[in-house]
Amino acid sequence: MAPDPWFSTYDSTCHIAQQIAEKIQQRNQYERNGENTTKLTVTIRTLLQNLKEKIALLKDLLLRAVSTHQITQLEGDRRQNLLDDLVTRERLLLASFKNEGSEPDLIRPSLMTGGAKRGAPNPWLLEEPEETRGLGFDDIRQQQQRIIQEQDAGLDALSSIISRQKQMGQEIGNELDEQNEIIDDLTSLVENTDEKLRTETRRVNLVDRKLTSCGNRMLLLLLLNDTHAMQCPHRLSILIGANGGSYF
């Protein structure tokens, strides 16, 4: 994986800031000893100009990375905080340089490069977070890249979960549409069946009335033709009972 140009520029910018702090401390030491500081002053001015250009380049790279979505908004904010810290340190270094003969707190501590051997604290470790304390720039960059990769992995997992939930929602919606169509078909079938039942019921009632009417008529004809039945009440009752009751 190719190194991020922003972090390589950031590393070199921090290195220039360390050099400036060291040169200012050296110049102040020369002044206290009455030595010539002209060469050191020219070197510090050149380094300060270089530092200013590097910070401007970092701003441009960060703006380009955020606008083209090369990095996340969270990572953009984190890099902006690092850049703001560099700008603040540039102002302190410039103020220290112009205040010749003084040794402010920023210059008094030792430097990251070889500072431990000289027995003074490092100005770039002021208010440093516990998780980055004692780490070099390469280690910090790798740590930041690991954090970015973990965040990207978490976002990918979240995106996958949302996609699955969306697919499940679509499948449930399709299933509901199919069930609604089945219910509509069943409703239509029930209505048709109910209408057929009512029609058949009317037909059965009509046939029953016709059969009853025909039966009574047939009984009447039998009675009229059977003179013996008309003369015998017992035979008449048998004929009427066989026909299901009275025809009146």
Side-chain angles (χ1 to χ4, degrees), residues 176-191:
L176 288 176
D177 292 338
E178 293 178 0
Q179 294 296 332
N180 288 333
E181 291 177 359
I182 293 174
I183 292 174
D184 292 339
D185 293 341
L186 287 175
T187 302
S188 177
L189 181 61
V190 169
E191 291 176 351

Side-chain angles (χ1 to χ4, degrees), residues 88-112:
T88 301
R89 294 179 185 277
E90 179 200 15
R91 293 173 182 172
L92 291 174
L93 287 171
L94 184 59
S96 300
F97 171 68
K98 291 181 178 180
N99 189 18
E100 297 182 354
S102 65
E103 245 183 310
D105 290 339
L106 177 65
I107 306 303
R108 194 182 306 276
S110 76
L111 306 170
M112 183 175 291

Side-chain angles (χ1 to χ4, degrees), residues 4-7 56-77 79-80 83 148:
D4 192 322
W6 195 90
F7 280 110
L57 178 59
L58 282 173
K59 291 180 180 178
D60 182 66
L61 290 174
L62 178 57
L63 179 61
R64 191 178 308 169
V66 172
S67 60
T68 56
H69 303 289
Q70 297 178 6
I71 59 176
T72 63
Q73 185 62 45
L74 182 63
E75 175 62 15
D77 294 339
R79 294 188 185 187
Q80 183 63 52
L83 185 56
I148 293 173

Side-chain angles (χ1 to χ4, degrees), residues 115-135:
K117 295 180 180 179
R118 297 177 187 178
N122 182 359
W124 304 104
L125 293 181
L126 295 176
E127 300 179 0
E128 183 179 4
E130 183 67 27
E131 58 270 15
T132 60
R133 187 166 300 171
L135 299 179

Side-chain angles (χ1 to χ4, degrees), residues 10-11 14-15 18 112 135-142:
Y10 175 78
D11 289 347
C14 290
H15 182 66
Q18 293 177 57
M112 183 175 291
L135 299 179
F137 289 115
D138 290 338
D139 296 331
I140 293 175
R141 180 175 60 187
Q142 292 176 2

Side-chain angles (χ1 to χ4, degrees), residues 27-46:
R27 182 205 64 181
N28 294 344
Q29 183 68 33
Y30 278 15
E31 287 181 347
R32 286 195 295 269
N33 295 336
E35 302 179 31
N36 190 345
T37 60
T38 303
K39 185 176 180 181
L40 275 175
T41 300
V42 173
T43 302
I44 293 171
R45 289 184 186 277
T46 302

